[in-house]
Amino acid sequence: AYTGPELGMALPPSGLALEIFAPDLTLWSWQLGLSKPDPYFFQVLLSRLAARGIDPGEAIMVGDRADNDMIPAKALGMMTWHLQEDGDGGWEALRQRIES
């Protein structure tokens, strides 16, 4: 439940806002009452993508943990962004990738 407010503070300095994430495709594990990498989380996400005609390879999973976020998403064919405080994994670098 803390992720939304944290993102609300972390994104603006990089020129981003929570609105870059489509609300119907923004999935919070705490809202489902489970923890990633629970397969149900990713099943719900794939369903939402399919409902919009989006192939998993066209979606990007943004997360801060390889075991819970990156590995399961890659296994489903999604692009991933391993969020890290510094270096190539920061929000500014993500903004540049989105814009290119």
Side-chain angles (χ1 to χ4, degrees):
Y2 57 85
T3 305
E6 284 183 353
L7 286 174
M9 293 185 315
L11 293 172
S14 299
L16 298 170
L18 278 173
E19 290 74 25
I20 66 168
F21 302 106
D24 60 322
L25 298 178
T26 301
L27 187 59
W28 309 100
S29 57
W30 62 269
Q31 289 177 323
L32 296 175
L34 52 84
S35 296
K36 295 175 291 173
D38 187 312
Y40 182 69
F41 173 86
F42 292 95
Q43 290 169 357
V44 170
L45 184 55
L46 290 178
S47 272
R48 290 182 182 188
L49 290 170
R52 295 219 7 213
I54 300 171
D55 184 77
E58 299 174 291
I60 187 167
M61 169 69 164
V62 177
D64 61 354
R65 291 185 52 180
D67 58 342
N68 283 0
D69 305 319
M70 305 304 102
I71 293 170
K74 282 183 182 180
L76 297 171
M78 297 177 73
M79 294 180 287
T80 61
W81 185 264
H82 191 174
L83 184 62
Q84 299 168 353
E85 291 294 320
D86 54 0
D88 293 336
W91 289 112
E92 176 65 25
L94 177 60
R95 183 184 62 76
Q96 291 172 6
R97 178 174 174 184
I98 291 170
E99 290 176 350
S100 64

